[in-house]
Amino acid sequence: MTQASDVPVGPDAPARPAGPLLVLAAMPEEAAAITALMADAEPLAVPLAGVAAVRGSLGGQDTAVVTTGIGVAASTAAATWAILSLRPRAAVAAGSCGGLAADVEVGTLVVGDAFTWSIADATAFGYAPGQVPGGPERHVADAAIADLAEASARAVDEGAGVRRGLMLAGDAFVTAPLAAPMRERFPDALSADMETTASARTAEALGVPFAALRAVSDLCGPAAGQQFHLELDEVAQTSALAVQELAARLARG
């Protein structure tokens, strides 16, 4: 019998039957907001310490939610296992993020369609800010999934707004002192977190369509008068509702 791990993967792999929607969330609170909306959710055995997964129906779509843990390495390991094991039809990063663009507000849903590394710097060798030598200047979302994600976000938006564009990720929490120089390096960046680019890079390498739907919980460098923080459970719910809408749209074909 052929095992899932024996099937070729990557951009040139042969077409495969549609698998589940894979949802990647860093923290248990972020994953819990999504699994609370699922029907018939059952835990999956995961051979990775610190990683949890459940599979069930979300919006009528077969869906697996994986809690990856925080950071680039954790996200890469969990996403690699999930893609190789579950053969998903698409993957989406969900949960919270920090708002980096000066005009982003807490609660805003950020739809990621391009991704790079917030602290990678090989500019001395002619690379773009955030570009890892040998890698692309930007990792790019699947356009069809990103379009569905944006439509889903707009369908559930309760007034905080929806933005689509570049998301940064790296193993550094972007605090206010780091925000201004990071905006100078990445003037079009909307948000920063510690996992999304790693998930995007993994999905790209393994040939799985990818986008991101994360809600802003904190502003990296708030301006005077701006609300700068929302509780994680509130932001996780905002992201979860958008992901549920995305799953429903995928289920409808």
Side-chain angles (χ1 to χ4, degrees):
M1 182 174 67
T2 300
Q3 300 295 317
S5 59
D6 297 328
V7 180
V9 296
D12 299 321
R16 60 184 184 271
L21 171 65
L22 172 61
V23 184
L24 300 166
M27 293 183 283
E29 297 90 339
E30 295 169 332
I34 302 165
T35 58
L37 301 173
M38 297 173 72
D40 304 318
E42 296 289 342
L44 299 175
V46 183
L48 300 173
V51 178
V54 299
R55 187 169 181 173
S57 177
L58 181 67
Q61 165 67 45
D62 180 19
T63 301
V65 179
V66 175
T67 308
T68 66
I70 295 171
V72 167
S75 178
T76 298
T80 300
W81 166 80
I83 290 171
L84 293 178
S85 299
L86 303 177
R87 313 295 295 160
R89 64 180 296 184
V92 60
S96 62
C97 60
L100 187 61
D103 58 347
V104 165
E105 302 289 346
V106 290
T108 295
L109 275 162
V110 178
V111 179
D113 64 7
F115 314 92
T116 197
W117 306 99
S118 60
I119 59 176
D121 189 349
T123 54
F125 301 99
Y127 293 93
Q131 184 180 13
V132 172
E137 184 172 336
R138 298 283 188 269
H139 298 283
V140 181
D142 178 85
I145 297 299
D147 286 347
L148 277 178
E150 182 179 7
S152 301
R154 295 193 183 282
V156 303
D157 176 32
E158 296 183 348
V162 176
R163 297 289 300 277
R164 175 171 170 173
L166 176 64
M167 302 179 77
L168 308 180
D171 282 331
F173 189 77
V174 182
T175 55
L178 296 178
M182 196 163 288
R183 286 172 180 157
E184 290 181 11
R185 293 184 71 216
F186 304 101
D188 54 344
L190 299 176
S191 67
D193 63 72
M194 300 177 74
E195 300 84 25
T196 303
T197 303
S199 298
R201 196 272 180 238
T202 302
E204 180 180 78
L206 296 177
V208 174
F210 177 87
L213 265 174
R214 300 182 76 146
V216 175
S217 59
D218 297 88
L219 300 184
C220 299
Q226 278 187 305
Q227 182 185 2
F228 67 91
H229 174 74
L230 281 175
E231 294 301 322
L232 178 59
D233 57 352
E234 184 175 348
V235 173
Q237 180 71 5
T238 298
S239 174
L241 291 172
V243 171
Q244 181 185 41
E245 179 65 21
L246 171 63
R249 290 171 184 249
L250 284 172
R252 293 196 294 267

